[in-house]
Amino acid sequence: MGRVEFDNVTFLDLSEPDAVPGLSYKTDFFDGGHLSTPGAEKSSAVLASFLAKRYGLQSHRGDPAFSEWDTDVAEHDAYVKKVWGDRYPK
């Protein structure tokens, strides 16, 4: 993953080969520049890992104080399953 620091801002280049493990142009993009749902999840995992390591951010999955997020994720997953059906590579 390419990373550039400029004016106290970090830019991540996730388009470099192997920046996102398992990312496939064949299955993880709608077209040449827009991620599909599986591609977005893979890229989000890389970004989450970077943020956790760089800034010490923690996951709040299952934390009662953030239960609305868990509900939102469940609704999102149900929608994705409805749209993708058995084709969803999760």
Side-chain angles (χ1 to χ4, degrees), residues 41-90:
E41 289 180 348
K42 292 174 187 177
S43 297
S44 293
V46 170
L47 178 59
S49 176
F50 171 80
L51 293 172
K53 290 176 185 171
R54 175 77 183 250
Y55 301 105
L57 298 181
Q58 298 176 5
S59 172
H60 291 282
R61 291 177 185 96
D63 184 334
F66 295 87
S67 63
E68 284 185 43
W69 285 95
D70 294 330
T71 301
D72 291 343
V73 168
E75 290 175 6
H76 169 266
D77 289 348
Y79 173 77
V80 168
K81 185 169 177 66
K82 179 181 174 185
V83 171
W84 280 83
D86 293 336
R87 298 173 300 129
Y88 186 63
K90 191 165 189 178

Side-chain angles (χ1 to χ4, degrees), residues 3-60:
R3 188 172 102 196
V4 176
E5 300 281 338
F6 176 77
D7 203 17
N8 205 28
V9 175
T10 302
F11 296 90
L12 301 178
D13 184 358
L14 299 181
S15 67
E16 291 185 355
D18 300 322
V20 179
L23 191 69
S24 165
Y25 282 102
K26 190 173 186 175
T27 59
D28 293 324
F29 286 82
F30 281 113
D31 54 32
H34 297 91
L35 292 167
S36 64
T37 300
E41 289 180 348
K42 292 174 187 177
S43 297
S44 293
V46 170
L47 178 59
S49 176
F50 171 80
L51 293 172
K53 290 176 185 171
R54 175 77 183 250
Y55 301 105
L57 298 181
Q58 298 176 5
S59 172
H60 291 282

